[in-house]
Amino acid sequence: MPSSRPNTRALAWSGAVIAAAILTGCSSPAASDPSAATPAPTPSPSSTPSPAPSSTSTGSSAGGDYEAFCDANRAAAAAKVGTVGEDIVAGNAQLEAIRAILPLQGVSAEIAAGAQVFEASAVETLGILAQFPSDSLVSDVGLDPRFLESDALRNAASDPNYQAFIGWTIQTCGIGG
């Protein structure tokens, strides 16, 4: 029946938006605590979702890149409650930040692959957002079929590498902890 497909899509989109909000740390204590806003680039081994070296394998500049990436994720989350124009600006900053840390080093192959999927999904999402007036609310365009039928949404809902990367990001950025 046609009526169940939009409900399934709406549920999937809602799940993806919730995952994005969690990923980007809307309510993260690290976002409001300046001392916590500079997380260590390598999480403790006891809570690492995949084996990682105990020292930073990407060098001292990666710590700054991880910090910038985490900050960009928080800004992107905040923009989800604003306008399309604000979301595009924050999304572009998030895209630059992910590109600055690619390719990820010292992480599992799944996390590294997920980072590539995340980058591609961000590009696709920004392209879709650009089709709306910049003063539109993100909440008003989120259920548009262009989003609901996008690879970005499918990846958020079902790609295990993407999901591994999201888990790594949550841990690395100190989100929700």
Side-chain angles (χ1 to χ4, degrees):
M1 295 194 55
S3 62
S4 67
R5 185 175 172 127
N7 290 337
T8 302
R9 287 182 180 166
L11 181 59
W13 175 251
S14 297
V17 169
I18 290 168
I22 291 169
L23 164 65
T24 54
C26 279
S27 61
S28 170
S32 61
D33 178 4
S35 65
T38 55
T42 305
S44 68
S46 63
S47 61
T48 303
S50 62
S54 59
S55 63
T56 305
S57 62
T58 55
S60 61
S61 67
D65 290 343
Y66 286 169
E67 182 180 339
F69 173 68
C70 293
D71 290 345
N73 280 319
R74 289 183 188 99
K80 297 289 181 238
V81 298
T83 65
V84 166
E86 293 165 337
D87 199 19
I88 289 172
V89 169
N92 280 320
Q94 185 182 38
L95 183 60
E96 285 181 35
I98 186 63
R99 287 177 172 163
I101 63 172
L102 289 177
L104 290 181
Q105 303 294 314
V107 298
S108 71
E110 293 81 11
I111 293 169
Q116 300 289 333
V117 175
F118 181 87
E119 177 192 21
S121 294
V123 169
E124 180 183 21
T125 299
L126 287 168
I128 295 169
L129 282 169
Q131 298 173 31
F132 296 98
S134 64
D135 62 345
S136 299
L137 294 177
V138 174
S139 59
D140 290 341
V141 302
L143 293 178
D144 186 277
R146 291 170 274 195
F147 287 113
L148 297 175
E149 296 169 3
S150 69
D151 287 336
L153 179 62
R154 280 189 284 282
N155 291 333
S158 64
D159 185 290
N161 295 332
Y162 183 96
Q163 293 167 359
F165 174 73
I166 297 301
W168 174 87
T169 301
I170 289 168
Q171 185 174 26
T172 300
C173 294
I175 297 170

